[in-house]
């Protein structure tokens, strides 16, 4: 393996210690106030080589009022960053990612996984941008008033209001993230957006035919228009629900073949810190999956025995292990550096500015 560690940007991940939040680990709705960013979280992130990560905050699912909940979540994370100012840096521009690396800090990108907090007030987009949000995923798995998610059976695409949301997000230079979106929502948003869009965490449906994965048509369109595609470390990468590190490599290879090596990256959808007690976690996971199913927010491919991560690609060595596998696949150092973080930075420059 190369001794040089490339810049590593996780286009969708977590920054927390999952072992320190066991009292809420099985809850359907996770609040940022329950997240534990402790010494181990920071130490593990540093040890992994992580440069920056797009975290999820704000309303995603649940019975709370989306807008006030989202504002409260932003306040929580602002407090976390103040508490850990020597270790964490709020990312507002692409240059901040490079600055984080220069200052030996971890860049933190504020992102939504559901845009319902916009409500019917487009002026909230400007407010969220002012508060530091930089990534807005339009839908979660289900449909909302903006468009259909990946599990919405009608696959209707964007609503008329959703088209206005896409336009307004572009006007305020926020990333339009189409992860979790339905196929027609993704295709329509990519076509009408004034700026390139992204799919920050997904897999390739050509390799595993599940709704959370994207078709070649979606991947190609996003890439052709200057966008970004991140491949996740999730159970949807394999029909068995138990993907390995080799499956992650196969999806990365396919995505590069479809999109080109300048459009693909990683969006693991998980933390750096590994869960220590996997056996204990299994019972929690089974109830969590069942609760998601009852609430109508789960995705095809989620089962009681499917971990939301790749078992042999987790913990502080996950990025180094992936790099080693890509090297053995014959990828050049330059291509690996692009996929591990360089492509996201270049995409961020196009959207947020340098």
């Amino acid at each position: 393996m190369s001794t040089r560690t490339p810049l590593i940007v996780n286009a969708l991940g977590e920054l927390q210690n999952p072992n320190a939040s066991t009292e809420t680990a099985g809850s359907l709705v996770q609040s940022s106030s329950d997240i534990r960013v402790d010494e181990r979280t920071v130490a593990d992130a540093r040890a992994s080589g992580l440069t920056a990560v797009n975290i999820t905050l704000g309303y995603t699912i649940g019975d709370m009022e989306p807008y006030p909940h989202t504002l409260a979540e932003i306040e929580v994370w602002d407090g976390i960053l103040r508490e850990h100012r020597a270790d964490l840096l709020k990312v507002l521009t692409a240059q901040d990612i490079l600055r984080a690396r220069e200052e030996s800090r971890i860049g933190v990108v504020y992102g939504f996984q559901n845009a319902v907090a916009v409500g019917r007030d487009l002026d909230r987009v400007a407010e969220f941008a002012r508060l530091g949000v930089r990534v807005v995923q339009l839908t979660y798995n289900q449909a909302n008033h903006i468009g259909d998610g990946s599990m919405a059976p009608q696959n209707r695409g964007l609503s008329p209001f959703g088209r206005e949301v896409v336009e307004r997000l572009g006007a305020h230079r926020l990333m339009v993230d189409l992860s979790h979106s339905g196929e027609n929502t993704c295709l329509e948003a990519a076509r009408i957006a004034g700026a390139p869009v992204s799919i920050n965490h997904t897999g390739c449906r050509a390799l595993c035919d599940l709704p959370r994965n994207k078709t070649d048509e979606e991947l190609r369109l996003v890439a052709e228009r200057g966008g970004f595609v991140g491949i996740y470390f999730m159970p949807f990468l394999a029909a068995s629900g138990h993907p390995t590190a080799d499956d992650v490599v196969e999806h990365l290879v396919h995505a590069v073949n479809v999109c080109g090596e300048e459009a693909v990256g990683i969006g693991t959808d998980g933390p750096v810190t590994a869960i220590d007690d996997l056996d204990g976690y299994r019972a929690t996971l089974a109830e969590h999956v069942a609760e998601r199913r009852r609430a109508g927010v789960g995705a095809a491919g989620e089962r009681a025995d499917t971990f939301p991560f790749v078992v042999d690609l987790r913990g502080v060595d996950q990025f180094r292990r992936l790099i080693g596998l890509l090297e053995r696949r014959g990828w050049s150092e330059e291509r690996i550096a692009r996929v591990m973080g360089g492509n996201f930075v270049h995409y961020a420059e196009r959207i947020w500015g340098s």
Side-chain angles (χ1 to χ4, degrees):
M1 183 185 300
S2 171
T3 57
R4 291 181 59 189
T5 302
L7 181 147
I8 297 173
V9 182
N10 193 347
L12 191 283
E14 299 175 19
L15 188 65
Q16 64 165 314
N17 180 358
N19 305 289
S21 305
T22 55
E23 70 276 8
T24 60
S27 300
L28 178 63
V29 179
Q30 293 282 303
S31 169
S32 290
S33 60
D34 298 324
I35 286 174
R36 298 294 176 263
V37 180
D38 55 16
E39 291 184 7
R40 180 178 173 184
T41 306
V42 175
D44 284 355
R46 290 184 182 280
S48 75
L50 181 69
T51 306
V53 55
N54 168 33
I55 61 162
T56 299
L57 49 70
Y59 178 89
T60 301
I61 57 175
D63 296 330
M64 69 285 289
E65 288 294 324
Y67 177 60
H69 175 73
T70 296
L71 295 180
E73 292 259 296
I74 293 171
E75 286 187 9
V76 167
W77 269 100
D78 282 348
I80 290 172
L81 294 187
R82 285 193 298 271
E83 181 182 355
H84 296 277
R85 61 172 56 91
D87 302 302
L88 307 178
L89 174 68
K90 188 175 183 177
V91 171
L92 300 177
T93 68
Q95 184 62 37
D96 286 334
I97 297 176
L98 305 180
R99 177 186 164 198
R101 189 181 201 193
E102 291 168 1
E103 297 178 358
S104 298
R105 293 197 276 174
I106 307 298
V108 179
V109 180
Y110 286 6
F112 295 166
Q113 282 208 67
N114 198 333
V116 291
V118 172
R120 293 286 177 179
D121 186 355
L122 289 170
D123 290 339
R124 290 180 183 175
V125 172
E127 180 181 18
F128 293 142
R130 178 179 58 79
L131 292 172
V133 175
R134 287 298 178 266
V135 181
V136 177
Q137 183 176 290
L138 297 185
T139 74
Y140 196 59
N141 290 331
Q142 65 275 47
N144 61 22
H145 68 298
I146 292 167
D148 277 13
S150 61
M151 293 303 297
Q154 296 89 348
N155 192 24
R156 295 167 297 187
L158 292 169
S159 68
F161 182 74
R163 298 182 193 106
E164 295 184 62
V165 171
V166 171
E167 181 181 2
R168 190 64 63 92
L169 291 171
H172 288 282
R173 306 192 71 170
L174 300 184
M175 287 185 183
V176 175
D177 183 4
L178 298 165
S179 308
H180 286 268
S181 71
E183 182 177 2
N184 284 334
T185 299
C186 179
L187 293 171
E188 185 176 1
R191 290 183 182 118
I192 70 168
V197 298
S198 65
I199 309 170
N200 283 8
H201 61 298
T202 192
C204 304
R205 199 177 300 184
L207 301 185
C208 186
D209 189 11
L210 288 171
R212 271 293 284 114
N213 295 330
K214 294 299 186 183
T215 64
D216 284 359
E217 183 183 7
E218 293 169 273
L219 298 173
R220 187 175 294 110
L221 180 62
V222 167
E224 285 176 349
R225 299 195 171 220
F228 171 86
V229 172
I231 297 299
Y232 47 31
F233 300 179
M234 289 290 280
F236 314 113
L237 297 179
S240 68
H242 306 290
T244 66
D246 288 334
D247 291 304
V248 175
V249 171
E250 291 303 322
H251 280 259
L252 282 169
V253 168
H254 184 83
V256 166
N257 287 340
V258 172
C259 302
E261 67 178 53
E262 296 183 354
V264 177
I266 56 170
T268 70
D269 205 3
V272 169
T273 299
I275 292 173
D276 296 328
D277 182 7
L278 281 183
D279 288 336
Y281 177 66
R282 291 178 196 275
T284 298
L285 174 65
E287 176 54 32
H288 183 65
V289 170
E291 193 173 355
R292 282 172 59 85
R293 186 178 298 115
R294 288 192 294 268
V297 297
E302 293 180 14
R303 300 194 309 270
D305 67 334
T306 56
F307 288 128
F309 46 79
V310 175
V311 174
D312 64 339
L313 202 61
R314 64 192 185 97
V316 296
D317 291 324
Q318 60 186 271
F319 303 123
R320 283 185 289 272
R321 175 163 167 70
L322 178 59
I323 289 169
L325 291 172
L326 294 173
E327 287 176 337
R328 286 195 284 277
R329 191 62 181 253
W331 280 24
S332 68
E333 186 173 291
E334 181 182 11
R335 174 179 284 189
I336 291 171
R338 285 176 173 177
V339 167
M340 295 305 297
N343 285 340
F344 185 90
V345 172
H346 292 149
Y347 172 61
E349 288 174 347
R350 297 194 287 274
I351 306 302
W352 305 334
S354 59

